Amino acid sequence: MAKLTVVPTPVGNLEDITQRALRMLKEASFVLAEDTRTSGNLLRHYGIETKLISYHKYNEHQVVDNIVRRIEAGESACLVSDAGTPAISDPGYLIVRHCIDAGIDVECLPGATAFVPALVSSGLPNDKFCFEGFLPHKKGRKTAIERLASETRTMIIYESPFRLTKTLAQLAEAFGADRQASVSREISKIHEETVRGTLTELVEHFTATPPRGEIVMVVAGCEKIKARDDSDEEEE
């Protein structure tokens, strides 16, 4: 059946992929991959020979129309990123939007996403949370952090290991040194680790022990504003 299937892939351990995802990758006419080398390793591991086509943030605007035409002509496509669910801080939105606009069936399979295990293992409230992805590197960064200082929901932020300590320090300055947070890295891999504490404690820890690997930060929401809002609701 001609359609686009969004397929989550493992964020670490290659076993973290569903049988359904493997079947869809095997049956597809072609697979759109953020990095064909990375996805090629996954497909070879499971004996899947489906053709890989490069699809990433640097070429998506150039190739998206051709991909849509191929699916309209009867081919089926799978979209994968290097790790996790496509379109979550990875390429994917553009092709999904174009397929929907063209009347093409789009299906997203359930599967691995790095922020879910990081959120759950943080020990912070997860009944309500907001996903911020990567903060702006330069322009708009200060504004984004100041905006989040009053956020009452638990916040999820992706970060590079090279910027982690600096970002934690910036958050401590804007949110307060005692704001609780956790840092998860290398999720589902051999050296998986979650470090919990105040923002200041985390700055000290990662200054002494520079981090490696993929990073997910989980930061507690602003309790003072939340408490004030709850009080206002009770008065009403």
Side-chain angles (χ1 to χ4, degrees):
M1 178 181 178
K3 67 177 180 179
L4 174 69
T5 304
V6 181
V7 180
T9 55
V11 296
N13 194 311
L14 289 180
E15 295 179 355
D16 295 338
I17 190 167
T18 67
Q19 292 295 317
R20 184 181 174 203
L22 293 173
R23 177 175 61 81
M24 297 304 292
L25 290 170
K26 191 172 185 178
E27 295 176 355
S29 304
F30 57 91
V31 174
L32 302 169
E34 183 180 6
D35 187 324
T36 55
R37 294 165 299 181
T38 300
S39 298
N41 291 333
L42 175 67
L43 266 59
R44 281 191 296 274
H45 179 80
Y46 285 103
I48 298 172
E49 299 180 354
T50 308
K51 181 180 179 180
L52 288 166
I53 295 176
S54 181
Y55 179 85
H56 47 73
K57 64 180 180 180
Y58 301 109
N59 76 348
E60 58 180 347
H61 288 277
Q62 287 75 42
V63 303
V64 65
D65 289 335
N66 182 55
I67 292 168
V68 169
R69 284 194 293 269
R70 290 183 61 172
I71 300 174
E72 287 179 318
E75 295 187 80
S76 60
C78 284
L79 172 68
V80 299
S81 61
D82 288 350
T85 301
I88 304 298
S89 287
D90 278 317
Y93 167 77
L94 187 67
I95 182 65
V96 168
R97 186 69 258 169
H98 273 63
C99 284
I100 291 172
D101 289 345
I104 294 171
D105 184 23
V106 176
E107 180 178 24
C108 181
L109 305 188
T113 302
F115 77 76
V116 174
L119 173 62
V120 173
S121 63
S122 72
L124 295 172
N126 53 32
D127 55 332
K128 294 181 181 180
F129 60 89
C130 62
F131 175 72
E132 292 295 318
F134 288 94
L135 296 174
H137 292 176
K138 295 180 180 179
K139 185 178 181 181
R141 184 178 181 85
K142 182 178 179 182
T143 301
I145 291 175
E146 290 175 347
R147 171 179 58 82
L148 291 175
S150 59
E151 173 59 63
T152 59
R153 297 169 294 179
T154 298
M155 293 161 275
I156 301 165
I157 301 170
Y158 284 173
E159 190 51 280
S160 157
F162 308 108
R163 288 190 299 270
L164 176 63
T165 303
K166 179 180 178 180
T167 298
L168 288 168
Q170 291 174 328
L171 295 179
E173 182 179 356
F175 295 4
D178 294 332
R179 184 77 69 93
Q180 290 292 315
S182 78
V183 173
S184 294
R185 66 180 192 88
E186 295 290 80
I187 292 171
S188 186
K189 298 180 182 178
I190 294 175
H191 301 293
E192 179 176 355
E193 175 187 47
T194 295
V195 181
R196 306 170 185 85
T198 65
L199 288 170
T200 297
E201 289 170 341
L202 291 173
V203 170
E204 294 172 352
H205 173 83
F206 288 108
T207 298
T209 310
R212 295 181 179 180
E214 302 296 325
I215 302 289
V216 183
M217 300 188 300
V218 183
V219 185
C222 181
E223 289 293 334
K224 293 181 180 179
I225 294 178
K226 182 178 180 181
R228 187 175 66 224
D229 291 344
D230 291 344
S231 176
D232 292 342
E233 289 178 4
E234 290 177 1
E235 291 179 2
E236 292 176 1

